[in-house]
Amino acid sequence: MLVEADKRLGGVCLICGCIPSKALLHATKLITEARESEHRGVTFGEPKIDLDKLRAWKNSVIDKLSGGVASLAKMRGVQVLQGRGYFEDSRTLRVETADGQKFVTYDTAIIAVGSKSAIPKAFDLGNPRIMTSREALEVPDVPGTLLIVGGGYIGMELGTVYATLGSKVVVVEALGSILTGADADLTRPVQRYAAKAFQEVRVKTKVLSMATVGKQIKVVMEAEGKKIEELYDRVLVSVGRVPNHADLGLENTKITKDDRGFIKVDEKQQTNDPSLYAIGDVTGGVLLAHKAAREARVAVDAITGEFETLNKYIIPAVVFTDPEIAWCGLTETEAKQKGIAVKIARFPWSASGRALTYDHPDGLTKLVIDPETERVLGRALRGTARAN
């Protein structure tokens, strides 16, 4: 049995994460390509944006994929119960459905409730003009001015969408650079694009408070010891994610959590409660859907007695900015931080005919190599996927 609170199957990635964001990025990328095609001898008129049609198309992509998941569940004999679950104890789940309460008993359960956007209490004013990624993906309008708090992949991707649609975007990041975690040689072209496409990108800048002023949001920031007050039509808060297990009844089980609230699991994805396993974002670490899928297989194998040993697996990461960047395995930055001796091999896409036809000569293929064995420890790409 599968218990799901949302009317659609697919989880965070499909419903309000990766899929809608990539749909919007593709649509807005067409606008950018049209504007930049004049030097190729192809000129277009100024694009006209119909937000209702854009939203409808984006939602149709979600509905089609969600319907596919539902069909797959039906084909495999999975009973789907739509409702909000709450653990009464380690082996009983109370489900609030449209038809009233239902109780489900089981021998083993897997918790896969995902994560949600973190929003500090100081920013949570109950004003719809202050958005998380979920609201921003609905594209309620194209604000004249948009402040994005957080220069991670969510902030940079959605900033690209709104800037292309016509918003004046300002990104503020408390740390010293955007997209922390990625190697500097991957992010430099992204920073150059953002400097051109956004009104401003500010690093080492902290947001202190927000307040409603008429139809705008007053934001107080601090940069280099100086306070700044500015008004914005909308604000997107993208400062991280938290586990989505509030009011799930975990206190009625033996589950324990770490200091950030994520559920603790062992190498089999089993919690401290023998009847309960957990996978995906709710367990912390890298919050990516393909990691959750791998963990699901580990948990199912453990439950069915097929688990033997857990082979270490490498989790790839992709950021759909302009240019796109991707990496897996050991990064050059991590090697330096851990004191691991590595050799770096780079191939610039300026020597690739395919990349040049897509106007991405700043692309890069990069390998992180063990200097003694010549084993590839990590790899990274920068550029557009179509030029790869």
Side-chain angles (χ1 to χ4, degrees):
M1 174 179 285
L2 173 63
V3 177
E4 173 56 57
D6 200 289
K7 293 180 180 179
R8 298 168 294 184
L9 298 183
V12 172
C13 175
L14 198 161
I15 305 300
C16 57
C18 313
I19 299 302
S21 68
K22 299 329 171 255
L24 293 174
L25 281 162
H26 171 66
T28 52
K29 179 65 174 176
L30 296 176
I31 298 173
T32 302
E33 290 180 342
R35 288 171 177 167
E36 296 177 350
S37 67
E38 186 175 355
H39 75 282
R40 304 187 189 103
V42 182
T43 304
F44 296 89
E46 189 64 23
K48 295 181 180 179
I49 300 168
D50 186 325
L51 286 183
D52 290 335
K53 284 187 177 181
L54 179 60
R55 281 191 293 266
W57 171 75
K58 181 260 297 181
N59 290 334
S60 73
V61 173
I62 296 171
D63 291 341
K64 184 175 182 179
L65 290 173
S66 178
V69 176
S71 296
L72 187 61
K74 184 176 181 181
M75 288 171 56
R76 297 191 176 181
V78 177
Q79 180 185 353
V80 179
L81 179 60
Q82 201 264 309
R84 169 73 174 167
Y86 182 90
F87 288 99
E88 293 287 331
D89 55 48
S90 296
R91 294 198 175 185
T92 308
L93 187 73
R94 169 166 51 88
V95 185
E96 302 288 345
T97 75
D99 299 322
Q101 291 184 357
K102 295 186 179 182
F103 291 86
V104 179
T105 58
Y106 51 84
D107 293 325
T108 309
I110 298 175
I111 300 170
V113 292
S115 63
K116 61 182 179 180
S117 298
I119 182 162
K121 290 183 179 180
F123 305 163
D124 191 6
L125 307 181
N127 188 326
R129 293 184 179 276
I130 300 176
M131 308 180 292
T132 66
S133 60
R134 178 183 284 268
E135 293 81 34
L137 287 167
E138 292 301 318
V139 198
D141 56 27
V142 179
T145 55
L146 172 66
L147 174 69
I148 297 179
V149 185
Y153 73 93
I154 293 175
M156 296 305 295
E157 287 183 0
L158 288 175
T160 300
V161 169
Y162 277 89
T164 307
L165 290 175
S167 297
K168 293 181 179 179
V169 175
V170 174
V171 174
V172 295
E173 168 57 55
L175 299 177
S177 65
I178 61 171
L179 298 175
T180 54
D183 287 343
D185 56 355
L186 299 182
T187 61
R188 274 192 291 268
V190 179
Q191 293 170 348
R192 288 197 295 269
Y193 169 83
K196 179 178 65 174
F198 299 174
Q199 183 174 349
E200 193 175 354
V201 176
R202 303 172 186 166
V203 296
K204 296 182 181 179
T205 302
K206 185 177 181 180
V207 176
L208 302 178
S209 66
M210 297 184 192
T212 300
V213 177
K215 294 184 178 181
Q216 291 184 304
I217 304 298
K218 183 177 78 170
V219 182
V220 180
M221 298 173 248
E222 185 176 40
E224 297 180 351
K226 297 180 181 179
K227 287 189 177 181
I228 305 168
E229 289 189 9
E230 294 174 335
L231 294 173
Y232 291 91
D233 295 324
R234 283 189 180 272
V235 176
L236 167 60
V237 179
S238 57
V239 293
R241 300 185 67 83
V242 294
N244 194 26
H245 56 48
D247 299 322
L248 197 60
L250 297 185
E251 64 276 9
N252 299 325
T253 72
K254 298 175 183 177
I255 284 176
T256 58
K257 294 171 281 188
D258 64 19
D259 55 2
R260 297 179 60 200
F262 292 100
I263 294 176
K264 290 183 178 181
V265 294
D266 62 15
E267 72 280 0
K268 297 181 180 181
Q269 301 300 131
Q270 189 173 34
T271 71
N272 282 4
D273 193 314
S275 300
L276 300 172
Y277 291 68
I279 64 168
D281 288 7
V282 76
T283 65
V286 180
L287 309 186
L288 295 171
H290 47 280
K291 168 181 170 285
R294 167 67 177 176
E295 291 175 343
R297 183 55 187 261
V298 169
V300 170
D301 284 350
I303 292 168
T304 58
E306 297 179 13
F307 181 90
E308 293 182 0
T309 57
L310 180 62
N311 295 322
K312 186 177 181 180
Y313 50 88
I314 295 172
I315 305 168
V318 184
V319 183
F320 291 83
T321 46
D322 194 350
E324 299 168 7
I325 61 176
W327 66 93
C328 65
L330 184 70
T331 67
E332 184 178 6
T333 300
E334 288 175 331
K336 290 178 180 178
Q337 291 173 345
K338 296 177 181 179
I340 300 173
V342 295
K343 180 172 65 175
I344 305 299
R346 293 181 175 86
F347 174 77
W349 288 12
S350 57
S352 166
R354 185 62 169 165
L356 290 173
T357 63
Y358 278 101
D359 282 331
H360 269 275
D362 59 350
L364 175 73
T365 299
K366 174 179 174 181
L367 301 178
V368 180
I369 304 167
D370 185 318
E372 299 210 3
T373 65
E374 294 194 347
R375 177 171 172 258
V376 176
L377 304 176
R379 60 185 62 194
L381 294 171
R382 180 188 74 210
T384 177
R386 286 169 297 174
N388 182 14

